[in-house]
Amino acid sequence: MHRTRIRVIEDALDANNTIARANREDFDQAAVKVVNLMSAPGAGKTTLLERALPDLGGVRAGVLEGDVQGSYDADRIVSLHVPVTQINTDPGFGGECHLDANMVRSAIPALPLQEIDLLLIENVGNLVCPAEFRVGEDARVMVSAITEGEDKPLKYPLMFRTCELVLVNKIDLLEHLDFDLDLFLHNLDAVHPGVPRLLVSARTGEGVQEWSRWLTRLVMPVEAPV
Amino acid sequence: MHRTRIRVIEDALDANNTIARANREDFDQAAVKVVNLMSAPGAGKTTLLERALPDLGGVRAGVLEGDVQGSYDADRIVSLHVPVTQINTDPGFGGECHLDANMVRSAIPALPLQEIDLLLIENVGNLVCPAEFRVGEDARVMVSAITEGEDKPLKYPLMFRTCELVLVNKIDLLEHLDFDLDLFLHNLDAVHPGVPRLLVSARTGEGVQEWSRWLTRLVMPVEAPV
């Protein structure tokens, strides 16, 4: 029975990858770079977007918000005068705990791809399933808040292993926590050796300029300042 | 296609509930009360267990740990000389992001049900899917850390709506965060009016005696001190 279940999952992931490639082609044709932003609930994805969006230089960005229900994050982003599209995984997609390629595909007709250079996809807050489903992104960025503890790379390795950048957020709280930053970075390197990481605080603004620059460079690798 | 997907999910939940009832019968027969402990990753489930377990009076407790992989939490609990059983959802169960009734059922033969009065099941860290799958528990307890923000009840309503107790954890950090406790409690009551809640800090010990008492009363409703 377990083998059958795994087979079903593998078939679902194969189908997902086929649709993700179709998304990728649509994004490439429109010359839009795509970031899949992932984290546990409450790690600070939306606040880090709010921080970065006004600071992207000439890069025109759009946001695709993924939530089980509601549009609380999209309502925050829209006040920045950035085009925002909402996907709710409930009820149309059965209340799924992640975005998959088909959900993103269903949103493509609503995305202003001709008017943007960069699409930031904010995934559902979850450290497990979002990592399993490619959606056609160029890069995966994950946010790990130091309030979540040092053990998260070890307990959710796929998420930490399949991303191109780790934002270590809430770094302003370091002095108020029993959090061993060296141990966290050691665990991170054990799972994904040398993965680029930025120590940031969405609250104080520490490190957010580097985060904006990372996004800008993704779109304009040459023109951006070093 | 969406309708088909929802039908598949409903059938899966029906099957889950049937197995959950079988688990419930086994637990009842052994006179074991069962708590399903749920939260986002890093909210403090394990530390709150470590705090409560030595303070349960005459109640004999056991722990069932659910993780995608590894046994980091079980290794911590075992040092308290409490019987611990580990379920890994990967690979046997396809890397699932939650425990379901069948996974718990598969662990029952390994549980020392005749030697315990209370089984504490620590679910996979996730605010979405664990709420959908009953496992045969008497009560659901969820942990919401104030570092996750005030909006979590609104964004993950099923989790907050289907629990019997909310542990509002990391309350020691209140003065260091831009967290509006009244707004969080307002959002909680909007989703689950009047649900019992305890303000706790697994770090400082604030409120953990009440948490231990709540567990004791679940097992011994009359004998426990008021």
Side-chain angles (χ1 to χ4, degrees):
Chain A
M1 176 182 168
H2 299 167
R3 292 186 65 140
T4 306
R5 188 190 279 229
I6 290 170
R7 169 63 63 85
V8 168
I9 290 167
E10 284 175 355
D11 285 351
L13 291 178
D14 280 349
N16 183 76
N17 285 338
T18 301
I19 301 172
R21 280 192 293 273
N23 293 348
R24 180 72 264 142
E25 284 171 21
D26 287 356
F27 296 140
D28 280 345
Q29 200 152 23
V32 172
K33 295 285 184 183
V34 179
V35 168
N36 186 356
L37 186 61
M38 303 182 286
S39 80
K45 294 185 296 304
T46 311
T47 312
L48 285 166
L49 285 181
E50 289 177 314
R51 282 283 192 172
L53 285 167
D55 194 30
L56 294 179
V59 172
R60 300 167 304 165
V63 174
L64 180 57
E65 282 290 343
D67 290 288
V68 177
Q69 62 179 70
S71 61
Y72 301 99
D73 297 338
D75 296 345
R76 289 167 58 185
I77 297 293
V78 82
S79 71
L80 298 171
H81 306 291
V82 169
V84 183
T85 306
Q86 177 76 52
I87 297 179
N88 283 134
T89 70
D90 181 27
F93 294 102
E96 298 279 2
C97 60
H98 57 274
L99 294 180
D100 65 22
N102 187 49
M103 296 179 207
V104 171
R105 186 134 202 88
S106 74
I108 285 182
L111 295 172
L113 292 183
Q114 302 309 321
E115 295 157 31
I116 60 175
D117 311 303
L118 174 65
L119 178 66
L120 296 150
I121 301 178
E122 183 174 345
N123 218 309
V124 179
N126 181 351
L127 285 185
V128 186
C129 300
E132 296 175 11
F133 293 86
R134 295 269 164 192
V135 296
E137 67 271 50
D138 292 272
R140 301 177 137 202
V141 177
M142 77 152 298
V143 184
S144 188
I146 64 171
T147 46
E148 296 165 21
E150 302 92 347
D151 58 353
K152 292 301 156 299
L154 303 178
K155 293 176 73 178
Y156 303 91
L158 186 65
M159 173 67 71
F160 286 85
R161 191 176 289 138
T162 62
C163 63
E164 277 72 38
L165 176 68
V166 176
L167 299 174
V168 185
N169 194 23
K170 307 194 186 180
I171 200 74
D172 58 295
L173 294 174
L174 192 57
E175 64 182 303
H176 304 299
L177 305 175
D178 304 321
F179 178 84
D180 184 337
L181 182 60
D182 289 337
L183 177 58
F184 173 82
L185 296 175
H186 175 83
N187 290 340
L188 177 61
D189 281 321
V191 167
H192 192 164
V195 60
R197 77 281 318 256
L198 293 172
L199 307 184
V200 301
S201 166
R203 188 181 179 220
T204 67
E206 181 179 343
V208 297
Q209 194 174 34
E210 288 73 18
W211 157 227
S212 299
R213 260 190 215 151
W214 190 92
L215 288 171
T216 307
R217 275 199 297 263
L218 187 71
V219 177
M220 302 189 292
V222 181
E223 293 90 331
V226 179
Chain B
M1 174 180 171
H2 300 165
R3 291 187 65 143
T4 306
R5 185 189 279 228
I6 289 170
R7 169 64 63 87
V8 169
I9 290 167
E10 283 175 356
D11 285 352
L13 290 177
D14 280 349
N16 183 76
N17 284 338
T18 301
I19 301 171
R21 280 192 294 272
N23 292 348
R24 178 72 266 142
E25 283 169 22
D26 287 356
F27 296 139
D28 280 345
Q29 201 151 21
V32 172
K33 295 285 184 183
V34 179
V35 168
N36 185 358
L37 186 61
M38 304 182 285
S39 79
K45 294 184 297 302
T46 311
T47 313
L48 285 166
L49 286 180
E50 288 176 315
R51 283 284 190 170
L53 284 166
D55 193 29
L56 294 179
V59 173
R60 301 168 302 165
V63 174
L64 179 58
E65 283 289 343
D67 289 287
V68 177
Q69 62 179 69
S71 61
Y72 301 99
D73 297 339
D75 295 344
R76 289 166 60 184
I77 297 294
V78 82
S79 71
L80 298 170
H81 307 289
V82 170
V84 182
T85 306
Q86 177 77 50
I87 298 180
N88 282 134
T89 70
D90 180 25
F93 293 103
E96 297 279 2
C97 60
H98 58 273
L99 295 180
D100 65 23
N102 187 49
M103 297 178 205
V104 170
R105 186 137 201 88
S106 73
I108 285 181
L111 294 173
L113 292 184
Q114 303 307 322
E115 296 158 32
I116 61 175
D117 311 303
L118 174 65
L119 178 66
L120 295 150
I121 302 178
E122 183 176 345
N123 217 309
V124 179
N126 180 352
L127 286 184
V128 185
C129 300
E132 297 174 11
F133 292 85
R134 295 270 164 192
V135 297
E137 67 271 49
D138 292 273
R140 302 178 136 199
V141 177
M142 76 153 297
V143 184
S144 189
I146 65 170
T147 46
E148 297 166 21
E150 304 93 346
D151 58 353
K152 291 302 157 298
L154 304 178
K155 293 176 73 177
Y156 303 93
L158 186 67
M159 174 67 71
F160 285 85
R161 192 176 288 138
T162 61
C163 63
E164 276 73 38
L165 176 68
V166 176
L167 299 174
V168 185
N169 194 23
K170 308 195 185 179
I171 200 75
D172 59 294
L173 294 175
L174 192 56
E175 63 182 304
H176 304 298
L177 305 176
D178 305 319
F179 179 83
D180 184 337
L181 182 59
D182 288 338
L183 176 58
F184 173 82
L185 296 175
H186 174 84
N187 290 341
L188 178 60
D189 281 321
V191 166
H192 193 162
V195 60
R197 78 282 318 255
L198 293 172
L199 306 184
V200 302
S201 167
R203 189 180 179 220
T204 67
E206 181 179 343
V208 296
Q209 194 174 35
E210 288 73 19
W211 158 226
S212 299
R213 259 190 218 151
W214 190 92
L215 289 169
T216 308
R217 274 200 298 263
L218 186 70
V219 177
M220 302 188 294
V222 181
E223 293 91 331
V226 179

